[in-house]
Amino acid sequence: MSEVSTVASGPVTGAPSGPGTATHCPYCALQCAMTLTPGRAPDGMPALDVTPRDFPTNAGGLCQKGWTSAALLTSPERLTTPLVRDGAGVLREAGWEEALDLVARRMRRAREERGPDAVAVFGSGGLTNEKAYALGKFARVALGTSQIDYNGRFCMSSAAAAGNRAFGLDRGLPFPVTDLDASEAVVLVGANPAETMPPLMGHLDPARLIVVDPRRTATAQAALDGGGLHLQPAPGTDLALALGLLHVALVEGYVDAPERLAYRRERTTGWEEVRRCAARWWPERTERLTGVAAADLRKAAGALAGARRAHILTGRGAEQHSKGVDTVAAWIDLALALGLPGTPGSGYGCLTGQGNGQGGREHGQKADQLPGYRHITDPAARAHLARVWDVPEESLPGPGRSAWELLDALGTPDGPSALLVMGSNPAVSAPRSRRAVERLRALDLLVVADFVRSETAELADVVLPVTMWAEESGTMTSLEGRVLRRRRAQAPPPGVRTDLEVLHGLAVRLGRDGAEFPADHTEVFAELRRASEGGAADYSGVRPEALDAGEAVHWPAPRGRDGSGTPRLFLDRFAHPDGRARFLPVEHREAAELPDAAHPLYATTGRELQHYQSGAQTRRVPELAAAAPGAYVEVHPDTARRAGLADGDRARVVSRRGSVLARTRCVPTLRTDTVFLPFHYTGAGTANALTNPALDPVSRMPEFKLCAVRLEPAP
Ligand SMILES: Nc1nc2c(c(=O)[nH]1)N[C@H]1C(S)=C(S)[C@@H](COP(=O)(O)OP(=O)(O)OC[C@H]3O[C@@H](n4cnc5c(=O)[nH]c(N)nc54)[C@H](O)[C@@H]3O)O[C@H]1N2
Ligand SMILES: Nc1nc2c(c(=O)[nH]1)N[C@H]1C(S)=C(S)[C@@H](COP(=O)(O)OP(=O)(O)OC[C@H]3O[C@@H](n4cnc5c(=O)[nH]c(N)nc54)[C@H](O)[C@@H]3O)O[C@H]1N2
Ligand code: SF4
Ligand SMILES: [Mo]
């Protein structure tokens, strides 16, 4: 892997040592460890130097985004002054007092005129645990609104819902990443870590990889080159594929091995119904629907079932569908039938995406959730939080709208008229983005806290400039449920404030006591620990000193238990009251929208190495922007030719909701019925102009990974 350096030095403990500031990458959930030291930019100006630090997840490696992450700190595009939209509609510089006073005044007015749900909040899996917690409390206590959700709804919510149903608990990886090193078979369903988490590839043996992806991704190619497998189904058919693999495992007797029979009997319920679901997916039928050859199904099932230690991991490719929960459930069913979850050295996991995508889903910024991964309708949870927050229980609102439903309701007669966005850029990253932008524009008040002028900030009435990762401290929880220390390496530029200071300032102006919303991250973490105590995601035993020392602590970490918490879950029992995992009966269903004569192709979306999410940050890093300069559409050469396009031509991709202009990139290994677009670009290249906000009925996840399109030359 050229983009991963492997600087092996010293024991892999994660303990910070030596000069410089030991911290973690600001981007994805692998949370690669790095050291920041004062240095110079190419133009001679002071800048931080990034060096990878040895740590279990990244083993001394970083991807190109990590290496270049410090560049944005000193970017001329950095925001350092609050902006307020003036009478002429122009964002002009303002002071903090003026900006915060204005926001509080207009939030109060919205609330007085239309009730507490008139003000909404949109959070992020990029926020530290402290910020995510404070934001949820701010919504419920300072605003009294039920209208809060976050971008994690667009991320791993389907896997979370399936994990909760099957295991009684959702932690993306219920085992440390390093467990993958010794795995004899790893199935990656709709995940492309070679581009989305490059150092993770160091934990995966290509010869033992089974990659399930409609595209021959860098990950799939690595598997093929190393003697592994690539299954290339049509988008939206993973559920049937999982049942087809389970069918083979049934017919071949793989599920009847004595240890698997014992596992099913002692550790699970619901097998019979699932067995009946799988019985209907014989290989030839599965092949007809998915396009994966029956012979490959048999090979994959054999490799998986024959391994002594095996893992099934899902990514967004399997999850971001209107049947994402059932799809993940089908893969969990396969894992349970083979006895993997809760067995040492094996397991099922979801590769959580954002830097704090794990912690972000635990501390109460979700529409239906209170801190500690508690449910907001649970009377015991409400009583507990009312005590911790010292507010009357009946003052706590109930569940609100999910992310898309919230965005879709903005500025409508029944929806919120004011919105605070912290850590997300939905103008680019939400499905059916033209509609999302129209709704954001319809608001009476849009407030965005960010450090750059994102596309969402461009629509705002007030923009609040905040500190970046290297200028603040706090905690993050990585994809393996490990709580990590983010450390401040340098002072922020004059004029910016932390997100916690913003929430403090607004809460006071909304009439709360400032002590309820401390701006000091250590105070917030202490309260978060109390608030989480007794919940599913229990942080009460996470000692700050252990984090400072770089000790590994994985939640749940109840007070009084051994300092390392729970690196491996489910070894003795699953989290349901009876200790058993649930087989979940599921049936394949079609996507919300299928190709037809007018829109004959599947379009799917995802990521490329250099850009992060909406691209708000990475498009402003010169090295990354040069390497990945603009929107493109991957298409099979035959499909391109039929559309009158050649490699490099400007294409127009049209769905029922909108169109995108993108450079044609001919990829002979792609399916002929499928095109792919990265969602990192903006303007006419915004891939989400195409996507369909059909929601999963349980997780409320939009169908980012499948819509019907046609391809034509750009006008
Ligand atoms: N470079 C980079 N890295 C990132 C991020 C980033 O924006 N850029 N974001 C981070 C975040 S928040 C996340 S959530 C993770 C996401 O990490 P991944 O899940 O690895 O990323 P995606 O590219 O969204 O989707 C993975 C693959 O799913 C495939 N796919 C599309 N449709 C289907 C389908 O129907 N079935 C199957 N089986 N596969 C399908 C796509 O071709 C793609 O290769 O990455 C994290 N890391
Ligand atoms: N078509 C399509 N759309 C997708 C996806 C897909 O696969 N396909 N994936 C979805 C997924 S998995 C995700 S996670 C979402 C992510 O999409 P977004 O939520 O838009 O994520 P980012 O682009 O990271 O936006 C974060 C914004 O917050 C700012 N920011 C970063 N850190 C902080 C902070 O600590 N405080 C504050 N105040 N601001 C901060 C950044 O500068 C940036 O402007 O996109 C979703 N959208
Ligand atoms: S893999 Fe993720 S955490 Fe690691 S350097 Fe790249 S973006 Fe940062
Ligand atoms: Mo994500």
Side-chain angles (χ1 to χ4, degrees), residues 155 353-354 607 613:
C155 188
Q354 297 184 82
R607 295 158 166 83
Q613 319 273 57

Side-chain angles (χ1 to χ4, degrees), residues 375-386:
H375 210 276
I376 200 163
T377 57
D378 170 8
R382 296 173 66 83
H384 173 73
L385 267 301

Side-chain angles (χ1 to χ4, degrees), residues 27-29 63 65 154-156 188-193 195-198 212-215 217 231 233-238 241 314-318 320-321 351-355 604-614 676 679-680 705-706:
Y27 299 118
C28 87
C63 79
K65 293 187 299 304
F154 297 156
C155 188
M156 29 24 68
L188 288 173
V189 196
N192 181 19
E195 293 200 68
T196 55
M197 294 185 183
V212 181
D213 198 305
R215 299 189 298 143
T217 57
L231 310 183
T237 63
D238 303 272
L241 187 69
T314 57
R316 301 308 84 77
Q320 290 172 324
H321 292 274
L351 293 170
T352 294
Q354 297 184 82
T604 190
T605 60
R607 295 158 166 83
E608 60 183 316
L609 174 71
Q610 284 86 3
H611 286 303
Y612 191 65
Q613 319 273 57
S614 73
F676 169 85
F679 78 102
H680 311 299
K705 287 291 192 269
L706 198 168

